[in-house]
Amino acid sequence: HEPIFQHEKIMLDVATKHGLTVKELKAKGQRHIHTKARREAYYELYKDGTRSLPQIARMFSGRHHTTILLGIREHVKGMGK
């Protein structure tokens, strides 16, 4: 289905970039490609300031908001920022 909300588009774009489905992106798996893509999605969803960490956590199988924060930090560190 076509994304209707901005967060759905962000997740679809990140998943597609990494060769994943949105379902795979949101899953609890720990494979490196999933983790890297997931961290990028957390960052993209958070950077505009319209979503809280708990809101993003709920989008990803109910992860804890501190998991989202750690993922964002790891993504930024990997970007060299």
Side-chain angles (χ1 to χ4, degrees):
H1 95 310
E2 287 293 314
I4 12 178
F5 298 108
Q6 184 63 23
H7 72 273
E8 290 179 328
K9 179 169 180 1
I10 290 169
M11 287 192 283
L12 179 60
D13 289 348
V14 172
T16 301
K17 174 182 171 184
H18 291 272
L20 302 171
T21 65
V22 172
K23 185 176 181 178
E24 290 170 321
L25 183 72
K26 293 167 71 173
K28 295 241 183 202
Q30 293 295 320
R31 292 184 52 208
H32 178 71
I33 187 70
H34 295 181
T35 303
K36 184 176 178 182
R38 200 174 297 124
R39 288 174 178 168
E40 181 178 339
Y42 298 162
Y43 172 79
E44 292 296 329
L45 289 163
Y46 187 70
K47 75 178 185 180
D48 70 0
T50 62
R51 294 168 202 87
S52 69
L53 295 172
Q55 286 173 322
I56 297 168
R58 285 190 292 275
M59 293 177 199
F60 287 87
S61 304
R63 285 177 168 75
H64 196 270
H65 70 276
T66 57
T67 301
I68 306 305
L69 180 59
L70 178 62
I72 291 168
R73 287 179 178 165
E74 289 295 319
H75 178 73
V76 169
K77 188 167 71 173
M79 293 169 55
K81 289 186 176 180

